[in-house]
Amino acid sequence: MDNMDSVNGNSMNNGSTSFVKLLSKQNVTKEYILHSAVNNQAQPQLAVTLSTNEILHFDVMTQAKSTTYKGHEKSVTGIKFSQETPSTFFSSSIDGRVLVWDTRSGVSPVQSFLDDSDGPSKPLTCFDLNSDEAYLCAGTELIREDSFLLFWDRRTGTNVGGYWNSHTDEITHVQFHSTCNSGLASSSVDGLINIFDLTQNNEDDALSNTLNTESSVNKFTWGPDDHFSCITGTEDYQFWSAEQTSPALSMTRDDLTDLSECKVDYLVDTFLANRSFYLVSGTNDGSLHMYRQKKRHLIPAAVLSKGHTDVVRTVIPIKGNCLVTGGEDGQLCTWRVSL
């Protein structure tokens, strides 16, 4: 592992300055790193998915690899740690299963969720757990003419139903409300972010609001006061209030290039930290730009450079104002950033 001791002050075009410290970087694999999750305990543990369908498990700060998990037969599409049981994490896959792993119990999954009620198991593109982790929801690819939101009772493993009328194309992301067990949002290639109240008896009544981005939605984040940030398939950034019929802010990749004074090749992710929304953009040589949402504007926040050498696929905030990034160079970088 390379330890980075220098602290870089990065000035951006609005005169703001942020100090970024590259704490460590390590080449952990020859494969692409695609997704990541952290359990944010006293000694945070990190899990990352690879293009080989494997999962690697690390200590965040030392990045010493502890375990390789092999269970999925096709691409892994998501990963998430349990907040109730820090040793447990979940992974979804195009093979149609959400697998549950316990780092105390060896390298075999301890539970599996799938829906093969009307034929082969449905390919899963994303998943999430509600706030008390009693229920799990996963989204699917387009199957014939339907895409599905599937629900399971997490404790029994029983499928408890699904929705299939609200989206007309592949579902790209699902997220439960952070404090309300019955709140769920989903996005799709059809351009919609749908918001559901799961206390209702049927899908039509449960659909309480729809945000139409007019583009496919890759990722979104549901934050305080029912605000949403999202990244579209055309590499645009949008910021919404669920009460509005149009975004409060919409920025193209060219807009972001002008804002950062550096060519933006792609958008990596949008996330919530310290109750603020952040966006991360990237360049093909591995540099990253961070922006903070402030009312109806994006404010340049930091430049993360000299870490990666290729496209970055995942960024995740951890305790202590740190971020972990991973990408197509097979490297994991840990940064301290003032969020």
Side-chain angles (χ1 to χ4, degrees), residues 16-53:
S16 64
T17 301
S18 179
F19 291 94
V20 177
K21 185 175 185 178
L22 179 54
L23 299 178
S24 65
K25 68 176 180 179
Q26 183 182 12
N27 193 337
V28 298
T29 177
K30 295 181 180 179
E31 310 299 332
Y32 289 0
I33 296 173
L34 302 180
H35 307 278
S36 61
V38 68
N39 64 6
N40 266 333
Q41 300 302 302
Q43 293 182 311
Q45 301 295 301
L46 176 74
V48 300
T49 72
L50 305 182
S51 51
T52 56
N53 312 331

mmCIF file of all heavy atoms in Angstrom, residues 16-53:
data_model
loop_
_atom_site.group_PDB
_atom_site.id
_atom_site.type_symbol
_atom_site.label_atom_id
_atom_site.label_comp_id
_atom_site.label_asym_id
_atom_site.label_seq_id
_atom_site.Cartn_x
_atom_site.Cartn_y
_atom_site.Cartn_z
ATOM 1 N N SER A 16 -13.466 29.206 -4.142
ATOM 2 C CA SER A 16 -13.491 28.367 -2.951
ATOM 3 C C SER A 16 -12.266 27.473 -2.935
ATOM 4 O O SER A 16 -11.720 27.113 -3.971
ATOM 5 C CB SER A 16 -14.759 27.511 -2.923
ATOM 6 O OG SER A 16 -14.768 26.611 -3.998
ATOM 7 N N THR A 17 -11.813 27.129 -1.737
ATOM 8 C CA THR A 17 -10.655 26.265 -1.585
ATOM 9 C C THR A 17 -10.999 25.147 -0.631
ATOM 10 O O THR A 17 -11.571 25.382 0.427
ATOM 11 C CB THR A 17 -9.447 27.042 -1.058
ATOM 12 O OG1 THR A 17 -9.134 28.088 -1.960
ATOM 13 C CG2 THR A 17 -8.252 26.132 -0.922
ATOM 14 N N SER A 18 -10.658 23.934 -1.007
ATOM 15 C CA SER A 18 -10.892 22.790 -0.142
ATOM 16 C C SER A 18 -9.583 22.027 -0.011
ATOM 17 O O SER A 18 -8.790 21.965 -0.956
ATOM 18 C CB SER A 18 -11.971 21.884 -0.733
ATOM 19 O OG SER A 18 -12.169 20.763 0.091
ATOM 20 N N PHE A 19 -9.351 21.471 1.156
ATOM 21 C CA PHE A 19 -8.126 20.710 1.387
ATOM 22 C C PHE A 19 -8.438 19.219 1.360
ATOM 23 O O PHE A 19 -9.339 18.752 2.044
ATOM 24 C CB PHE A 19 -7.496 21.122 2.715
ATOM 25 C CG PHE A 19 -6.941 22.518 2.669
ATOM 26 C CD1 PHE A 19 -7.706 23.593 3.086
ATOM 27 C CD2 PHE A 19 -5.663 22.767 2.176
ATOM 28 C CE1 PHE A 19 -7.214 24.877 3.025
ATOM 29 C CE2 PHE A 19 -5.165 24.048 2.108
ATOM 30 C CZ PHE A 19 -5.937 25.109 2.533
ATOM 31 N N VAL A 20 -7.702 18.507 0.542
ATOM 32 C CA VAL A 20 -7.922 17.084 0.315
ATOM 33 C C VAL A 20 -6.649 16.340 0.661
ATOM 34 O O VAL A 20 -5.563 16.734 0.242
ATOM 35 C CB VAL A 20 -8.294 16.813 -1.153
ATOM 36 C CG1 VAL A 20 -8.458 15.320 -1.398
ATOM 37 C CG2 VAL A 20 -9.563 17.564 -1.539
ATOM 38 N N LYS A 21 -6.779 15.274 1.421
ATOM 39 C CA LYS A 21 -5.617 14.446 1.731
ATOM 40 C C LYS A 21 -5.867 13.035 1.212
ATOM 41 O O LYS A 21 -6.860 12.397 1.561
ATOM 42 C CB LYS A 21 -5.371 14.413 3.242
ATOM 43 C CG LYS A 21 -4.100 13.660 3.621
ATOM 44 C CD LYS A 21 -3.818 13.754 5.111
ATOM 45 C CE LYS A 21 -2.493 13.098 5.472
ATOM 46 N NZ LYS A 21 -2.192 13.221 6.917
ATOM 47 N N LEU A 22 -4.974 12.584 0.358
ATOM 48 C CA LEU A 22 -5.027 11.203 -0.113
ATOM 49 C C LEU A 22 -4.354 10.336 0.935
ATOM 50 O O LEU A 22 -3.126 10.323 1.064
ATOM 51 C CB LEU A 22 -4.321 11.080 -1.466
ATOM 52 C CG LEU A 22 -4.254 9.688 -2.107
ATOM 53 C CD1 LEU A 22 -5.633 9.069 -2.221
ATOM 54 C CD2 LEU A 22 -3.582 9.778 -3.471
ATOM 55 N N LEU A 23 -5.161 9.635 1.722
ATOM 56 C CA LEU A 23 -4.625 8.859 2.843
ATOM 57 C C LEU A 23 -3.914 7.601 2.391
ATOM 58 O O LEU A 23 -2.886 7.224 2.944
ATOM 59 C CB LEU A 23 -5.766 8.496 3.805
ATOM 60 C CG LEU A 23 -6.513 9.660 4.452
ATOM 61 C CD1 LEU A 23 -7.647 9.115 5.327
ATOM 62 C CD2 LEU A 23 -5.571 10.524 5.284
ATOM 63 N N SER A 24 -4.473 6.932 1.400
ATOM 64 C CA SER A 24 -3.859 5.683 0.938
ATOM 65 C C SER A 24 -4.408 5.311 -0.419
ATOM 66 O O SER A 24 -5.504 5.732 -0.803
ATOM 67 C CB SER A 24 -4.116 4.542 1.937
ATOM 68 O OG SER A 24 -5.497 4.246 1.993
ATOM 69 N N LYS A 25 -3.638 4.536 -1.159
ATOM 70 C CA LYS A 25 -4.146 3.911 -2.378
ATOM 71 C C LYS A 25 -3.472 2.560 -2.530
ATOM 72 O O LYS A 25 -2.305 2.384 -2.181
ATOM 73 C CB LYS A 25 -3.926 4.785 -3.608
ATOM 74 C CG LYS A 25 -2.497 4.981 -4.058
ATOM 75 C CD LYS A 25 -2.472 5.801 -5.349
ATOM 76 C CE LYS A 25 -1.055 6.034 -5.845
ATOM 77 N NZ LYS A 25 -1.061 6.815 -7.115
ATOM 78 N N GLN A 26 -4.255 1.623 -3.008
ATOM 79 C CA GLN A 26 -3.730 0.267 -3.149
ATOM 80 C C GLN A 26 -4.335 -0.378 -4.375
ATOM 81 O O GLN A 26 -5.553 -0.286 -4.611
ATOM 82 C CB GLN A 26 -4.062 -0.574 -1.912
ATOM 83 C CG GLN A 26 -3.482 -1.984 -1.964
ATOM 84 C CD GLN A 26 -3.860 -2.816 -0.756
ATOM 85 O OE1 GLN A 26 -4.734 -2.429 0.015
ATOM 86 N NE2 GLN A 26 -3.222 -3.957 -0.585
ATOM 87 N N ASN A 27 -3.514 -1.037 -5.160
ATOM 88 C CA ASN A 27 -3.999 -1.821 -6.281
ATOM 89 C C ASN A 27 -4.420 -3.184 -5.738
ATOM 90 O O ASN A 27 -3.579 -4.016 -5.411
ATOM 91 C CB ASN A 27 -2.894 -1.971 -7.338
ATOM 92 C CG ASN A 27 -3.438 -2.505 -8.640
ATOM 93 O OD1 ASN A 27 -4.479 -3.146 -8.683
ATOM 94 N ND2 ASN A 27 -2.723 -2.233 -9.718
ATOM 95 N N VAL A 28 -5.740 -3.399 -5.634
ATOM 96 C CA VAL A 28 -6.236 -4.597 -4.963
ATOM 97 C C VAL A 28 -6.664 -5.694 -5.939
ATOM 98 O O VAL A 28 -6.904 -6.829 -5.535
ATOM 99 C CB VAL A 28 -7.430 -4.248 -4.031
ATOM 100 C CG1 VAL A 28 -6.981 -3.279 -2.947
ATOM 101 C CG2 VAL A 28 -8.597 -3.671 -4.818
ATOM 102 N N THR A 29 -6.783 -5.358 -7.234
ATOM 103 C CA THR A 29 -7.257 -6.347 -8.187
ATOM 104 C C THR A 29 -6.844 -5.930 -9.592
ATOM 105 O O THR A 29 -6.560 -4.755 -9.856
ATOM 106 C CB THR A 29 -8.797 -6.489 -8.124
ATOM 107 O OG1 THR A 29 -9.247 -7.420 -9.119
ATOM 108 C CG2 THR A 29 -9.474 -5.142 -8.354
ATOM 109 N N LYS A 30 -6.832 -6.893 -10.504
ATOM 110 C CA LYS A 30 -6.608 -6.591 -11.906
ATOM 111 C C LYS A 30 -7.924 -6.366 -12.643
ATOM 112 O O LYS A 30 -7.921 -6.059 -13.839
ATOM 113 C CB LYS A 30 -5.834 -7.737 -12.569
ATOM 114 C CG LYS A 30 -4.420 -7.926 -12.021
ATOM 115 C CD LYS A 30 -3.717 -9.060 -12.732
ATOM 116 C CE LYS A 30 -2.293 -9.243 -12.190
ATOM 117 N NZ LYS A 30 -1.596 -10.373 -12.858
ATOM 118 N N GLU A 31 -9.034 -6.534 -11.919
ATOM 119 C CA GLU A 31 -10.361 -6.394 -12.515
ATOM 120 C C GLU A 31 -10.941 -5.006 -12.224
ATOM 121 O O GLU A 31 -10.394 -4.240 -11.432
ATOM 122 C CB GLU A 31 -11.301 -7.475 -11.954
ATOM 123 C CG GLU A 31 -10.738 -8.878 -11.999
ATOM 124 C CD GLU A 31 -10.430 -9.353 -13.417
ATOM 125 O OE1 GLU A 31 -11.104 -8.878 -14.354
ATOM 126 O OE2 GLU A 31 -9.519 -10.186 -13.581
ATOM 127 N N TYR A 32 -12.072 -4.701 -12.863
ATOM 128 C CA TYR A 32 -12.768 -3.458 -12.582
ATOM 129 C C TYR A 32 -13.468 -3.538 -11.230
ATOM 130 O O TYR A 32 -14.086 -4.559 -10.896
ATOM 131 C CB TYR A 32 -13.842 -3.179 -13.635
ATOM 132 C CG TYR A 32 -13.330 -2.799 -15.008
ATOM 133 C CD1 TYR A 32 -11.976 -2.704 -15.291
ATOM 134 C CD2 TYR A 32 -14.236 -2.521 -16.028
ATOM 135 C CE1 TYR A 32 -11.532 -2.343 -16.550
ATOM 136 C CE2 TYR A 32 -13.806 -2.156 -17.300
ATOM 137 C CZ TYR A 32 -12.455 -2.088 -17.554
ATOM 138 O OH TYR A 32 -12.013 -1.733 -18.811
ATOM 139 N N ILE A 33 -13.387 -2.478 -10.444
ATOM 140 C CA ILE A 33 -14.207 -2.321 -9.237
ATOM 141 C C ILE A 33 -15.459 -1.563 -9.642
ATOM 142 O O ILE A 33 -15.383 -0.457 -10.185
ATOM 143 C CB ILE A 33 -13.436 -1.574 -8.137
ATOM 144 C CG1 ILE A 33 -12.221 -2.396 -7.690
ATOM 145 C CG2 ILE A 33 -14.345 -1.263 -6.951
ATOM 146 C CD1 ILE A 33 -11.307 -1.660 -6.734
ATOM 147 N N LEU A 34 -16.646 -2.150 -9.364
ATOM 148 C CA LEU A 34 -17.899 -1.605 -9.891
ATOM 149 C C LEU A 34 -18.793 -0.967 -8.831
ATOM 150 O O LEU A 34 -19.433 0.057 -9.096
ATOM 151 C CB LEU A 34 -18.685 -2.710 -10.606
ATOM 152 C CG LEU A 34 -17.956 -3.410 -11.759
ATOM 153 C CD1 LEU A 34 -18.847 -4.481 -12.363
ATOM 154 C CD2 LEU A 34 -17.519 -2.408 -12.816
ATOM 155 N N HIS A 35 -18.899 -1.583 -7.662
ATOM 156 C CA HIS A 35 -19.789 -1.096 -6.603
ATOM 157 C C HIS A 35 -19.070 -1.215 -5.265
ATOM 158 O O HIS A 35 -18.134 -2.017 -5.119
ATOM 159 C CB HIS A 35 -21.093 -1.911 -6.534
ATOM 160 C CG HIS A 35 -21.820 -2.029 -7.837
ATOM 161 N ND1 HIS A 35 -22.642 -1.037 -8.313
ATOM 162 C CD2 HIS A 35 -21.858 -3.017 -8.751
ATOM 163 C CE1 HIS A 35 -23.155 -1.411 -9.471
ATOM 164 N NE2 HIS A 35 -22.686 -2.617 -9.762
ATOM 165 N N SER A 36 -19.529 -0.448 -4.283
ATOM 166 C CA SER A 36 -18.919 -0.529 -2.957
ATOM 167 C C SER A 36 -19.962 -0.281 -1.880
ATOM 168 O O SER A 36 -21.005 0.328 -2.122
ATOM 169 C CB SER A 36 -17.778 0.488 -2.823
ATOM 170 O OG SER A 36 -18.260 1.812 -2.977
ATOM 171 N N ALA A 37 -19.664 -0.760 -0.685
ATOM 172 C CA ALA A 37 -20.516 -0.527 0.484
ATOM 173 C C ALA A 37 -19.631 -0.523 1.716
ATOM 174 O O ALA A 37 -18.587 -1.181 1.754
ATOM 175 C CB ALA A 37 -21.585 -1.613 0.611
ATOM 176 N N VAL A 38 -20.042 0.222 2.737
ATOM 177 C CA VAL A 38 -19.274 0.306 3.983
ATOM 178 C C VAL A 38 -20.240 0.188 5.150
ATOM 179 O O VAL A 38 -21.399 0.605 5.067
ATOM 180 C CB VAL A 38 -18.477 1.632 4.047
ATOM 181 C CG1 VAL A 38 -19.394 2.829 4.189
ATOM 182 C CG2 VAL A 38 -17.435 1.603 5.135
ATOM 183 N N ASN A 39 -19.776 -0.414 6.264
ATOM 184 C CA ASN A 39 -20.671 -0.574 7.413
ATOM 185 C C ASN A 39 -20.524 0.532 8.445
ATOM 186 O O ASN A 39 -21.289 0.608 9.400
ATOM 187 C CB ASN A 39 -20.502 -1.947 8.068
ATOM 188 C CG ASN A 39 -19.125 -2.162 8.671
ATOM 189 O OD1 ASN A 39 -18.296 -1.255 8.717
ATOM 190 N ND2 ASN A 39 -18.860 -3.379 9.128
ATOM 191 N N ASN A 40 -19.503 1.410 8.291
ATOM 192 C CA ASN A 40 -19.380 2.611 9.126
ATOM 193 C C ASN A 40 -19.428 2.333 10.621
ATOM 194 O O ASN A 40 -20.045 3.063 11.395
ATOM 195 C CB ASN A 40 -20.464 3.631 8.759
ATOM 196 C CG ASN A 40 -19.959 4.645 7.742
ATOM 197 O OD1 ASN A 40 -18.764 4.924 7.681
ATOM 198 N ND2 ASN A 40 -20.861 5.191 6.957
ATOM 199 N N GLN A 41 -18.782 1.274 11.058
ATOM 200 C CA GLN A 41 -18.627 0.991 12.475
ATOM 201 C C GLN A 41 -17.324 1.617 12.980
ATOM 202 O O GLN A 41 -16.647 2.350 12.258
ATOM 203 C CB GLN A 41 -18.638 -0.526 12.703
ATOM 204 C CG GLN A 41 -19.930 -1.192 12.251
ATOM 205 C CD GLN A 41 -21.151 -0.620 12.930
ATOM 206 O OE1 GLN A 41 -21.264 -0.633 14.158
ATOM 207 N NE2 GLN A 41 -22.093 -0.099 12.150
ATOM 208 N N ALA A 42 -16.980 1.328 14.240
ATOM 209 C CA ALA A 42 -15.764 1.904 14.815
ATOM 210 C C ALA A 42 -14.539 1.560 13.966
ATOM 211 O O ALA A 42 -13.646 2.391 13.774
ATOM 212 C CB ALA A 42 -15.580 1.404 16.248
ATOM 213 N N GLN A 43 -14.497 0.344 13.454
ATOM 214 C CA GLN A 43 -13.473 -0.065 12.493
ATOM 215 C C GLN A 43 -14.187 -0.440 11.197
ATOM 216 O O GLN A 43 -14.540 -1.598 10.987
ATOM 217 C CB GLN A 43 -12.664 -1.248 13.032
ATOM 218 C CG GLN A 43 -11.817 -0.902 14.246
ATOM 219 C CD GLN A 43 -10.996 -2.088 14.721
ATOM 220 O OE1 GLN A 43 -11.499 -3.200 14.900
ATOM 221 N NE2 GLN A 43 -9.701 -1.846 14.921
ATOM 222 N N PRO A 44 -14.440 0.549 10.342
ATOM 223 C CA PRO A 44 -15.287 0.320 9.168
ATOM 224 C C PRO A 44 -14.756 -0.784 8.261
ATOM 225 O O PRO A 44 -13.556 -0.912 8.040
ATOM 226 C CB PRO A 44 -15.276 1.679 8.464
ATOM 227 C CG PRO A 44 -14.886 2.660 9.511
ATOM 228 C CD PRO A 44 -13.959 1.930 10.421
ATOM 229 N N GLN A 45 -15.701 -1.575 7.748
ATOM 230 C CA GLN A 45 -15.384 -2.617 6.790
ATOM 231 C C GLN A 45 -15.959 -2.231 5.436
ATOM 232 O O GLN A 45 -17.062 -1.665 5.344
ATOM 233 C CB GLN A 45 -15.968 -3.966 7.239
ATOM 234 C CG GLN A 45 -15.469 -4.434 8.595
ATOM 235 C CD GLN A 45 -13.982 -4.726 8.580
ATOM 236 O OE1 GLN A 45 -13.515 -5.556 7.816
ATOM 237 N NE2 GLN A 45 -13.234 -4.031 9.428
ATOM 238 N N LEU A 46 -15.227 -2.536 4.392
ATOM 239 C CA LEU A 46 -15.601 -2.181 3.034
ATOM 240 C C LEU A 46 -15.760 -3.453 2.215
ATOM 241 O O LEU A 46 -14.957 -4.380 2.328
ATOM 242 C CB LEU A 46 -14.512 -1.299 2.415
ATOM 243 C CG LEU A 46 -14.675 -0.898 0.949
ATOM 244 C CD1 LEU A 46 -15.751 0.163 0.811
ATOM 245 C CD2 LEU A 46 -13.345 -0.370 0.392
ATOM 246 N N ALA A 47 -16.800 -3.486 1.385
ATOM 247 C CA ALA A 47 -16.978 -4.576 0.430
ATOM 248 C C ALA A 47 -17.109 -3.971 -0.954
ATOM 249 O O ALA A 47 -17.795 -2.961 -1.143
ATOM 250 C CB ALA A 47 -18.208 -5.410 0.769
ATOM 251 N N VAL A 48 -16.435 -4.563 -1.940
ATOM 252 C CA VAL A 48 -16.505 -4.069 -3.315
ATOM 253 C C VAL A 48 -16.823 -5.228 -4.246
ATOM 254 O O VAL A 48 -16.436 -6.374 -3.995
ATOM 255 C CB VAL A 48 -15.192 -3.383 -3.759
ATOM 256 C CG1 VAL A 48 -14.887 -2.192 -2.870
ATOM 257 C CG2 VAL A 48 -14.016 -4.350 -3.766
ATOM 258 N N THR A 49 -17.557 -4.922 -5.318
ATOM 259 C CA THR A 49 -17.865 -5.931 -6.326
ATOM 260 C C THR A 49 -16.955 -5.741 -7.526
ATOM 261 O O THR A 49 -16.561 -4.622 -7.863
ATOM 262 C CB THR A 49 -19.332 -5.846 -6.773
ATOM 263 O OG1 THR A 49 -19.519 -4.671 -7.576
ATOM 264 C CG2 THR A 49 -20.264 -5.782 -5.563
ATOM 265 N N LEU A 50 -16.631 -6.860 -8.176
ATOM 266 C CA LEU A 50 -15.705 -6.853 -9.301
ATOM 267 C C LEU A 50 -16.407 -7.270 -10.584
ATOM 268 O O LEU A 50 -17.486 -7.885 -10.554
ATOM 269 C CB LEU A 50 -14.535 -7.799 -9.036
ATOM 270 C CG LEU A 50 -13.741 -7.594 -7.751
ATOM 271 C CD1 LEU A 50 -12.598 -8.603 -7.687
ATOM 272 C CD2 LEU A 50 -13.229 -6.167 -7.628
ATOM 273 N N SER A 51 -15.770 -6.975 -11.705
ATOM 274 C CA SER A 51 -16.310 -7.369 -13.002
ATOM 275 C C SER A 51 -16.298 -8.887 -13.194
ATOM 276 O O SER A 51 -16.909 -9.387 -14.138
ATOM 277 C CB SER A 51 -15.521 -6.693 -14.127
ATOM 278 O OG SER A 51 -14.129 -6.888 -13.976
ATOM 279 N N THR A 52 -15.628 -9.621 -12.311
ATOM 280 C CA THR A 52 -15.624 -11.091 -12.355
ATOM 281 C C THR A 52 -16.782 -11.697 -11.570
ATOM 282 O O THR A 52 -16.851 -12.920 -11.407
ATOM 283 C CB THR A 52 -14.315 -11.632 -11.762
ATOM 284 O OG1 THR A 52 -14.161 -11.107 -10.439
ATOM 285 C CG2 THR A 52 -13.128 -11.228 -12.611
ATOM 286 N N ASN A 53 -17.681 -10.862 -11.018
ATOM 287 C CA ASN A 53 -18.814 -11.261 -10.187
ATOM 288 C C ASN A 53 -18.400 -11.651 -8.770
ATOM 289 O O ASN A 53 -19.226 -12.164 -8.002
ATOM 290 C CB ASN A 53 -19.617 -12.414 -10.815
ATOM 291 C CG ASN A 53 -19.941 -12.187 -12.273
ATOM 292 O OD1 ASN A 53 -20.063 -11.043 -12.702
ATOM 293 N ND2 ASN A 53 -20.068 -13.255 -13.037
#
